[in-house]
């Protein structure tokens, strides 16, 4: 058996190694915690940016819908004008005003 003085020295030498390992594990945990907090804060910042963009896009979308409604109304008016101008009665009047005459006899092939 070792004398008590040697046992004390052996435990004294072994204890710093345990403390070094404990400190190393603690440092790794702190680094992981810091990285996790940074990632979490970045995600919150990104979410705020996206929410802000969605909030400011509302008026733009409303303006686009208003323009769509105006263009659709204009398109309907143009369709009505095309239908009126392409009617046979209006084409006949236009042809007569330009000097065309209705033939007396139509020759069929």
């Amino acid at each position: 058996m070792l004398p008590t003085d040697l046992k004390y020295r052996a435990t004294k030498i072994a204890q710093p190694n345990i403390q070094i390992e404990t400190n190393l594990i603690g440092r790794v945990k702190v680094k992981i915690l810091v990285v996790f907090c940074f990632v979490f804060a970045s995600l919150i910042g990104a979410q705020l940016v996206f929410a802000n963009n969605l909030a400011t896009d509302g008026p733009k979308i409303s303006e686009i819908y208003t323009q769509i409604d105006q263009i659709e109304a204009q398109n309907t008016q143009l369709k009505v004008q095309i239908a009126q101008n392409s009617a046979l009665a209006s084409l006949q009047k236009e042809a007569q005003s330009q000097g065309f005459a209705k033939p007396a006899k139509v020759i069929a092939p």
Side-chain angles (χ1 to χ4, degrees), residues 58-73:
K60 293 176 187 176
I61 291 173
S62 176
E63 182 181 331
I64 290 171
Y65 280 134
T66 303
Q67 289 177 352
I68 289 172
D69 290 340
Q70 290 172 351
I71 291 172
E72 285 177 347

Side-chain angles (χ1 to χ4, degrees), residues 14-15 27 37 42 65 71 92:
Q15 285 178 350
R27 287 181 194 159
C37 289
S42 299
Y65 280 134
I71 291 172
Q92 184 180 9

Side-chain angles (χ1 to χ4, degrees), residues 103-109:
K105 188 175 184 183
V106 177
I107 302 172

